[in-house]
Every structure is written in structure tokens, then in C-alpha cells.
Amino acid sequence: MRKSKQHIRKAGAILVSSVSLALVVSACGGGGGGGGSSASLSGLYGPSTSAACSGSPVRGGNLVYERQAATQTTDPLNPRNGNGDIFTYNVIYSGLVRSDPTGKTNKIVPSLADRWTVSPDGKTYTFHLRPGLKFSNGQPVTSEDVAWTLNRFGNPKINEIMSAVAIGFGHATAVDESTVSVQLAKPVAAFLYNISIWPAFVLPKNLVEKEGNAFYKHPVGTGPFMVKEFAKGSHITLVRNPYYWESGKPYLDSVRFNFVSDSNTRILALRAGDAQVMDVVPFSQVNSLRTDKNISVQAAKVPLFLGLWLNHQRAPLADLNVRKALQYAINRPLLNKQIFAGLGTIPNSVLMGFSMDAPDSVVKPYGYDVAKAKQLIAQSKFPHGFSTTLQYPGGTDFYKQLALALQQEFGAIGVHVKLVEQDTATVTNNWFTRKFDMVFPFASFTSDLTVPDEYADFIANWDNGFHGFETSWRNPTIQQQVIQFETTRSDSERAKQWAQIQQALMNQTPAIAVLHLPFINAHLPNVCGTNLDGLGSDHLEDTWLANSKAG
Amino acid sequence: MLSYLIRRLALAVVVLFGLLVATFFMIHLVPGDPVRIVLAGRANPAQIARVRHELALDRPMWDQFTLYISRTLQGHFGTSFTLDAPVGEIIGQRVGPSAALIGYGMLLSLLLGVPLAIVAALRPNGWLDNAIRVGTALTFAMPSFWLGLMLALIFGLELRWFPVAGYSGGIGGILRTLTLPALALGLALTTVVVRTLRSSLLEVLQSEYIEAARSRGLSELRVVGKHALRNSFMNTLTILSVNIGFLIGGTVVLEQVFQIPGVGSLLVEAVEKRDYQLVQALALLAGAAVVLASLAADIVQALLDPRVRLAGR
């Protein structure tokens, strides 16, 4: 009797799950749900606060983590798959400094270097290594390793992909056993941020020189974990680095990243308890997962945004009145609620959100004002409107709905948009070769740094060869402001300058930020210390399992 | 027999060469290239141009084509730019899971399809026959990604008999991780097995030697199992070999859903990143598998059936 009841309950559960799965499958066509109330959304930010995590961290346990993007290489100078590679670099390697692992501040904090000094002219940095540092194979980390790593970072022939963050780098020298000095060609305000990310992660000189590319099959680093098994296309298994410098960490014995591109499969694995953490929760699924008591949803503020890129070689889009009209025509609160579960924020910038951004009271966002938009169109060189195209990447969670909504909103002010859905590769290629009118150029559009220097330079510094990050927009005044900003050392002075640049970019609106978005992960409630830093990267050295059997 | 074999082989070579040419132009005519996809948004245009030059991507398409053909004929499949490793090595790592999935799927389709076909053929147009026809038509009509998700939902999430996704090797690992995707793949093929086998069984069951066997008082099971099935199976074998292409296509979707590190999911990644070297090699591999399977089926048929073997004389 009891058994048959169980069967009925089970059948019911299957039915309910089937219905929810049908919703998953149809998510691309359906609405994004009712949207969360903003009052409860703040609870999504920061690591898990479930009751299970109230005690002190427990050592041990194996974590299975379902990741959307696969790791394709462990070579930190040759990323092939964006965050799929970067998030693995971040746990097997480390640099001299790092951004606040808790993500609470935007500060640069010590990592392999426990202190450093800067010369008064801002061109010489002296780093002091922690005593007793070792690589994951037990060999000591020498100042020679560090200097060699930094000189590779600064060499655009070796650091080909990320040479933008090596801007102004001169050379590094091992001064003594535990001191490394770096000479810059000019003051670089973001220098510490630039060396806090993966291209500057310290590698053992002797092994890389001896083994060449074979080194990356069994890499050796200074991160909290080291590679045990790397099955390309399937998973990477990491185990505790016994020589990690933070004493007592990491807590976990091992971490396995499963590469699961399909979001339905990631969710199923989490619900089945096959995995304890998943990344990239689709916005259309956030509300359904939040109502599941056995799952914690976590959001992190990161420099991720919906960047609508405009081609200024097209006469209508070169017209400032038209660009401003487009800004006013977008009903951002509605888009946010309907498509992004209310998790986005309304930008007061044309770029991704940076913690340095001036608040709304200083730089105002564009409000939704159709009358004003129509008035601006009437004042433009195209008073009767015009026709244009909007390209966006297909096969993603939300771009189709977003593009349809924008088509309608722009149509209301006489801008007739033809939507062109392409695969991401084609869209990115068309953006790069400037074959577009309006485009969302990437499936996921993020900055590599938490400070605006990299992207401000991309879009405003015409001399970098990027053609205004392919917008063909050029403004010598703002370019000068950005170049000055990049070399100003005082933080308070930089904040002032950035507010001016932010406002100037908003006034000129070379591109449009539709919304700023967070990263959203989900995990089982017994996964504790799930810290994400300001770039959305997990700091798994802080992660622990409250009860490895619970689930 | 030898001349038959030579003719079939020559045809196979022509087919594969045609495939080589078609794949090259199809993937090259789609916008985008691997360097821009991997580096755009980070590296500056001058660096991207340099890497494209190193990979000969800035040369006219005809030059790239002749270079590709000459290298392929020498057995060089090149290096994948997006995965930063030799193409042969990458494919070698990932061909096993796909082969296991296809083999297992085929096995399941036979294990399910043969008994169903016999049951259906013994009572043609009875209620059981109709039920089998409707049932297999339904599974055939279901999109494989949906069927796969449903199986993962029921047997993975609810009943917890199998993991919802992932792959591990060895017999035990394959049984645990590939049963659901193989079932999703095999169910679609079961329809084909049931239909072809049922109709040839019906034909054979009407023939005189079956009547003779029956009149000698052999049990129906023995008549069907020993005499009729052996003579009906030839068509099914041919159909199965033709369907190898269908199975390979099925792995592309199912490997994504079940996260199996095989060549199907590799092909998706390669196309997304426009990894020319990898796409071309994978298409050639799939083509070779189809050609070889149909060649093998032809040879088996020729060996078993003199009418085929002698037809060309």
C-alpha cells in the first residue's frame, strides 16, 4: 500500500517535472516569468547564508561543478574559450596580487607578493614575495620565475591575446631572492589590476622552458588546486594543492568541473544531486530555481552588459539626435522585468558596470520617454525615420526576445528595424569587419578588469587600431580624457575624471548599454563559502561542504 | 567477386573526394574564421591579422583549397587553432565514446526491434501489430533531444537509476552513462528495424519452404526463429548500414544533451568556432564511416547471396 502511494507520488513528481521541463524547452519562445520583486533580489547577492553554513568551515569533500563553458587549454597566455579557460586558470595559478576574493570591494589585495611599494613617479613597482612559496610540485617559487613570467606578460609577441593589459609595461628584474622590480615605460594607473589577472599568473620558468607546450598537459602552478585529470570536452578534475600558501586552505579535497553547455542538462544534474554547483543559470529559469527549497541561487555583480553596438558609418546612426532618441525609446524597466527576471540594473553608462562608476545622482541614466525620442528624431536629419538592421546571436537564452522588444520600441519612433539572427561566430565576425548597422556583438559581453581602463581605451582611444571598438566613432576630446585617466595615479582624481568621461560618453552615446547584468550561479544549500570575486570567478579555496552527504 | 569489390571501392573514393570538396567550400563560405572568433574583442586588429597570415587564412580561397587537398592527400590533417592541438590527437581522444554510443544504440534497436517485428509479423494487422506500429511511429516522431531529456528526467532525476549526464569508460561506465542516450538513439532506429523486418518476414512466411517446415510439424517459434528470420534479416542489415549516417547525426544532438565527450559534440564546437581543420576532418571521418558501413553490408550480402555477387557478370 505504502509502495503504491509512493508510486503515485513519484508519478505526480514526474508529471510536475515534465511540465517544468516543457517550460524549460519552450523558454526561448515564452516570457521570462513574472519577474522577481526587487526587495528579495538583494538576497541573491553574496555567498550562501543557509543554516547549514552557519558553523565553521569543514575540511574535506569533493565538489562537482557544472560549467557552461569548457576548459580547452591551461595555457594562461593562450585562452581559447573565454571563461571556460579563465575560471580554471584562476584556481590552478595565481599572480603577485589579486582582486578582493570576497567580491565585496574592488580592492587589489596581496597574493604571492605580501607587500609592494611604488616609486613617486609611479613608474617603478617593487614586489616582495611571501616567504616559503612553493609550486604545486613542491619546487620553490623564485623571484626569477616571477620576473620571467612578467616579462612574458609584457611581450606582445608572447602575450598576443591580452597585450592590451600589458600597456606601458617595461621590464621586470629579480632584485634578490624574494624581491622583483618592475619598470614601466609610463605610469599605468591600472597596473595592479592588469597583473591581477591570468596573463600574469606565475609559472615555473624551468619547466615551461624545458617542456614547451607539453607543460600545459600537467601544469604546475601556485593556485589552491592542481590538475589531476583533464579530459578535453568532458571534465577537468582538480585536487588540493598541498603547497598552497593560504594555510588551511583549500577546504575541499577535490573539484571536478564538468563541461555542460546545455543549460537544461546543468539544471537536471543539480536537481538530481549529480552536481552541487552550476554556473550560468538562464534568466528564464531563475524564478523556478528560486522556489526550489533544495537549491540556492546566487548572483554576483560583474562587468557584464547588453551592449548594443552602433555603426557610425551609417548616416542615421552617425546623427547624435538619432542615437539619443534610441536611448530614450528603450523601456528598460519593462525589458528587465519581462526578460531578465528583474535581475538587471539600468545603466548610467554606455559600457559595462564598473564599481568606479559615478552614481545615478551624478550621471543620470536615460529614462523611457517616447515623446522626447520622437522629438529628437524630428530634429535629426531623418525626421521621417529610417530603416536599419539589428544583428544578434541566435541560440542564446534571451537575445531573440530582447531584439523583438527593441524592434517594437524603435518602431514606435519611426526607426524600422529588420532583425537578423545569426550564429555567434557570424555576428562577431560581422562586428569585427564592421558589416553591421546595429549589433549585439557577443553572446556574453564582459570586461576582463573591474576598472574601466581596458574598455574605455577600446572604445575611445582611436590610436589603438580598434576603430572605436568597431563603431567608427571618434572623439578627440574624450580620447584625450581617457588617455589622461589611464595615467593618473590618485584614486580620488581618477574617480573625478571617470565621472566626466562616463558623462561625456553618455552624452555622445557612441554605443548603447541596454542593461547591466549579473552572473547567476546555483548550488545546493550545503555548499558554503561560495565567494565570487568582482569578475565573477569562484574562489574555491574558500568553498566547503557543510555535510558532504546532504543534498 | 573481385571486380565487384573494386567497383564498389572506386565509387567510395569518388564519394569521399566529393565530400572533401563540398565540406571545404561549405565551411569556408560561412562568415567568420577561427582567429577572429577566438581573439576578437581582446587582441587588437593588427595582431589578429598577423595570426590569420600565419595560418594562411588571408590567402585566396582557391590557394587555401589546393593547400588543403594536397595536405589531406598526404595524410596531414593539420592543427586545430581553437583547441591548440593536432587534429588527429583530438579526434583520437573523442572517437571512442561516439563509437560506443552508436554501437550500443544499434544493439538496443535490435534487441527491441527484432522481437517486436516477430510478434507483429505473426499476427499481421492484429491489435498487437497495430499497437507496435503506432508505438514505434511515436518514438520515431519524437525529436531526439526531447526524448533524451525525457529519459534523463524520468530515469535520471526521478528514479535515479542513471546519471542525468556525463560519460565514463569501461563496460560498467558505458552501461551506467550511455544507456539513456543509446536508448534515445536506438528507439528512433527501432522503428526502422521493426518495419523492414516485419515486411520481409511477412513475405518469407508466405513462401513454400516455410509451408514445408510447418507441415513437418516444427513449432512456430522454430519456423520463425530458425528459418524465416535468417532469410528476412538481409534487408534489415542493409537498412541498418544505410542508417549509420542517421546514427552519426543523432550523436551530434544527444552528445550535447547528455554531455558525452564524443565526436558529435566536438563537431558542434568546431562548427561554432569555424575550426576549418577540425570540421573538415570530422566530416571526412563521418563520410568514411558511412561509406565503409555500406561497403561492408554490400560485401556481406554478396557473400551470402550469389544473385548479388553474380549480377555484374
Side-chain angles (χ1 to χ4, degrees):
Chain A
M1 197 57 205
R2 193 183 145 77
K3 197 153 196 182
S4 72
K5 258 189 188 166
Q6 255 181 1
H7 273 296
I8 292 169
R9 195 180 57 79
K10 206 131 221 175
I14 291 175
L15 189 70
V16 170
S17 304
S18 306
V19 171
S20 61
L21 192 85
L23 289 175
V24 173
V25 172
S26 66
C28 287
S37 67
S38 53
S40 59
L41 285 179
S42 57
L44 293 183
Y45 287 89
S48 185
T49 50
S50 73
C53 297
S54 56
S56 51
V58 178
R59 198 173 161 90
N62 305 300
L63 188 79
V64 179
Y65 195 138
E66 306 271 303
R67 286 213 179 274
Q68 181 199 39
T71 303
Q72 286 174 346
T73 173
T74 62
D75 177 355
L77 289 177
N78 279 303
R80 286 292 186 265
N81 201 28
N83 284 343
D85 295 326
I86 294 166
F87 288 169
T88 293
Y89 303 151
N90 289 349
V91 289
I92 60 175
Y93 304 117
S94 49
L96 287 177
V97 297
R98 59 178 177 173
S99 63
D100 180 357
T102 66
K104 283 178 191 150
T105 70
N106 185 34
K107 290 211 171 80
I108 289 293
V109 298
S111 182
L112 298 183
D114 56 0
R115 65 206 153 86
W116 56 89
T117 54
V118 190
S119 67
D121 66 356
K123 282 162 56 173
T124 308
Y125 282 71
T126 308
F127 295 94
H128 302 276
L129 301 182
R130 272 173 210 283
L133 283 176
K134 283 180 176 162
F135 285 106
S136 55
N137 65 350
Q139 90 179 45
V141 177
T142 66
S143 54
E144 192 60 38
D145 291 320
V146 175
W148 173 81
T149 296
L150 289 176
N151 285 326
R152 274 166 39 105
F153 161 84
N155 182 345
K157 283 188 183 142
I158 298 174
N159 179 16
E160 204 156 45
I161 297 179
M162 291 295 290
S163 62
V165 296
I167 187 169
F169 188 90
H171 66 274
T173 326
V175 177
D176 60 40
E177 273 177 15
S178 63
T179 315
V180 175
S181 132
V182 175
Q183 191 65 43
L184 300 182
K186 60 176 183 187
V188 178
F191 178 65
L192 290 176
Y193 290 92
N194 290 343
I195 60 162
S196 74
I197 62 169
W198 71 94
F201 284 171
V202 176
L203 300 178
K205 180 187 175 198
N206 60 339
L207 291 179
V208 176
E209 283 187 341
K210 194 172 116 201
E211 298 173 16
N213 277 338
F215 171 82
Y216 301 105
K217 290 188 175 173
H218 44 83
V220 166
T222 54
F225 293 92
M226 54 189 190
V227 177
K228 184 185 168 204
E229 187 202 4
F230 181 15
K232 283 196 179 182
S234 170
H235 62 272
I236 188 165
T237 306
L238 311 165
V239 292
R240 180 190 290 123
N241 169 8
Y243 302 102
Y244 184 56
W245 61 269
E246 273 188 281
S247 72
K249 291 183 184 178
Y251 303 111
L252 296 165
D253 291 337
S254 77
V255 176
R256 175 175 160 137
F257 292 160
N258 284 333
F259 312 137
V260 186
S261 56
D262 188 297
S263 61
N264 295 326
T265 309
R266 289 200 299 284
I267 291 172
L268 278 184
L270 190 68
R271 288 206 153 130
D274 292 351
Q276 292 103 18
V277 192
M278 67 170 279
D279 68 2
V280 196
V281 175
F283 289 97
S284 53
Q285 287 294 301
V286 169
N287 285 319
S288 124
L289 282 180
R290 286 177 68 197
T291 55
D292 189 330
K293 276 190 306 220
N294 297 318
I295 289 174
S296 306
V297 178
Q298 179 179 354
K301 283 197 170 118
V302 292
L304 167 69
F305 80 134
L306 299 168
L308 180 60
W309 246 229
L310 309 175
N311 187 346
H312 293 244
Q313 288 174 330
R314 309 286 184 263
L317 299 173
D319 188 321
L320 181 59
N321 284 320
V322 168
R323 298 200 300 271
K324 284 188 167 171
L326 294 176
Q327 286 273 27
Y328 283 115
I330 302 172
N331 187 346
R332 291 180 169 90
L334 185 72
L335 294 180
N336 190 20
K337 185 171 171 232
Q338 296 285 6
I339 306 174
F340 299 98
L343 289 167
T345 44
I346 293 171
N348 64 344
S349 157
V350 301
L351 296 174
M352 47 286 274
F354 297 104
S355 55
M356 190 184 260
D357 284 352
D360 287 1
S361 55
V362 177
V363 180
K364 280 203 186 68
Y366 282 96
Y368 175 51
D369 190 339
V370 178
K372 195 159 186 178
K374 282 182 175 166
Q375 192 193 338
L376 282 162
I377 288 285
Q379 288 166 8
S380 76
K381 291 181 200 127
F382 302 85
H384 305 297
F386 59 94
S387 294
T388 185
T389 62
L390 167 57
Q391 296 181 44
Y392 63 94
T396 48
D397 183 33
F398 47 74
Y399 275 116
K400 192 184 189 78
Q401 289 165 274
L402 178 64
L404 281 167
L406 289 176
Q407 183 186 41
Q408 199 181 21
E409 290 173 352
F410 292 160
I413 60 164
V415 177
H416 305 291
V417 180
K418 188 180 164 220
L419 299 182
V420 184
E421 180 176 303
Q422 312 256 32
D423 71 327
T424 307
T426 304
V427 173
T428 304
N429 189 65
N430 288 348
W431 162 78
F432 185 81
T433 50
R434 300 193 287 289
K435 287 181 199 145
F436 67 94
D437 301 333
M438 296 197 271
V439 66
F440 286 109
F442 306 101
S444 176
F445 202 161
T446 55
S447 162
D448 297 307
L449 301 177
T450 57
V451 286
D453 300 58
E454 182 191 22
Y455 263 85
D457 195 272
F458 278 168
I459 197 166
N461 185 0
W462 189 266
D463 301 331
N464 63 18
F466 262 127
H467 315 97
F469 217 47
E470 315 305 348
T471 60
S472 299
W473 168 80
R474 189 175 186 180
N475 184 309
T477 315
I478 299 179
Q479 175 171 349
Q480 232 17 70
Q481 286 177 303
V482 166
I483 289 170
Q484 195 193 355
F485 168 74
E486 288 174 31
T487 52
T488 299
R489 293 190 51 224
S490 146
D491 282 348
S492 59
E493 188 55 34
R494 262 165 67 82
K496 259 188 247 165
Q497 290 176 3
W498 179 245
Q500 284 167 6
I501 296 169
Q502 194 184 334
Q503 183 67 63
L505 286 171
M506 278 293 266
N507 293 345
Q508 286 297 316
T509 196
I512 293 174
V514 179
L515 282 174
H516 288 162
L517 297 175
F519 270 3
I520 306 170
N521 289 3
H523 54 83
L524 301 185
N526 69 320
V527 184
C528 311
T530 51
N531 286 334
L532 296 174
D533 68 17
L535 291 168
S537 186
D538 297 87
H539 276 260
L540 293 167
E541 72 270 21
D542 298 329
T543 305
W544 53 282
L545 294 172
N547 171 1
S548 48
K549 285 194 176 156
Chain B
M1 182 66 197
L2 192 66
S3 74
Y4 174 77
L5 204 64
I6 289 169
R7 266 183 294 128
R8 294 289 294 128
L9 271 173
L11 192 64
V13 170
V14 172
V15 167
L16 285 179
F17 187 77
L19 186 72
L20 206 77
V21 176
T23 325
F24 178 89
F25 285 103
M26 264 194 263
I27 190 69
H28 277 79
L29 288 173
V30 184
D33 76 43
V35 180
R36 286 178 187 157
I37 288 153
V38 171
L39 304 187
R42 290 209 165 92
N44 71 39
Q47 284 159 330
I48 289 176
R50 190 161 68 233
V51 180
R52 292 186 82 234
H53 179 73
E54 282 165 18
L55 297 177
L57 291 172
D58 55 349
R59 294 207 213 159
M61 198 180 293
W62 182 252
D63 286 7
Q64 292 187 48
F65 177 67
T66 49
L67 194 67
Y68 164 61
I69 292 291
S70 71
R71 279 185 189 164
T72 306
L73 291 180
Q74 293 167 41
H76 298 306
F77 290 97
T79 301
S80 151
F81 176 73
T82 65
L83 292 176
D84 209 9
V87 165
E89 181 189 313
I90 298 168
I91 294 180
Q93 285 168 352
R94 296 185 62 163
V95 82
S98 296
L101 176 58
I102 290 172
Y104 195 4
M106 218 176 226
L107 184 71
L108 286 181
S109 74
L110 288 174
L111 286 178
L112 291 168
V114 173
L116 288 177
I118 295 174
V119 169
L122 286 177
R123 297 259 186 287
N125 298 318
W127 69 269
L128 205 53
D129 182 24
N130 284 327
I132 289 169
R133 266 196 281 183
V134 171
T136 51
L138 267 180
T139 56
F140 190 69
M142 286 178 196
S144 60
F145 78 91
W146 189 82
L147 187 60
L149 274 176
M150 281 301 139
L151 291 173
L153 190 67
I154 295 166
F155 297 103
L157 182 62
E158 294 301 336
L159 300 174
R160 308 272 167 110
W161 292 357
F162 300 99
V164 295
Y167 172 79
S168 47
I171 295 292
I174 286 173
L175 285 179
R176 211 166 57 80
T177 56
L178 287 190
T179 299
L180 294 184
L183 198 59
L185 195 63
L187 276 177
L189 198 62
T190 302
T191 316
V192 179
V193 172
V194 170
R195 297 242 157 152
T196 51
L197 191 57
R198 176 186 171 274
S199 66
S200 31
L201 267 175
L202 281 179
E203 206 177 301
V204 170
L205 284 173
Q206 316 253 318
S207 60
E208 286 173 1
Y209 75 91
I210 293 291
E211 274 309 308
R214 278 187 179 136
S215 62
R216 282 206 303 275
L218 295 180
S219 73
E220 195 64 13
L221 192 69
R222 211 180 145 105
V223 169
V224 174
K226 185 138 191 217
H227 299 274
L229 200 56
R230 186 183 284 179
N231 285 299
S232 313
F233 207 68
M234 214 54 250
N235 280 340
T236 311
L237 191 71
T238 313
I239 296 280
L240 273 183
S241 76
V242 171
N243 270 289
I244 188 98
F246 167 84
L247 288 173
I248 292 173
T251 64
V252 171
V253 175
L254 287 167
E255 285 179 5
Q256 292 278 103
V257 172
F258 286 96
Q259 215 53 42
I260 298 159
V263 286
S265 50
L266 183 65
L267 179 64
V268 175
E269 289 166 33
V271 171
E272 279 174 358
K273 296 269 174 75
R274 304 285 188 275
D275 194 320
Y276 299 142
Q277 255 63 28
L278 203 49
V279 171
Q280 286 156 185
L282 285 170
L284 204 59
L285 180 72
V290 172
V291 167
L292 283 178
S294 89
L295 192 65
D298 284 349
I299 293 170
V300 170
Q301 203 167 11
L303 287 175
L304 294 182
D305 190 342
R307 284 172 301 180
V308 177
R309 187 162 69 224
L310 300 172
R313 292 220 170 146

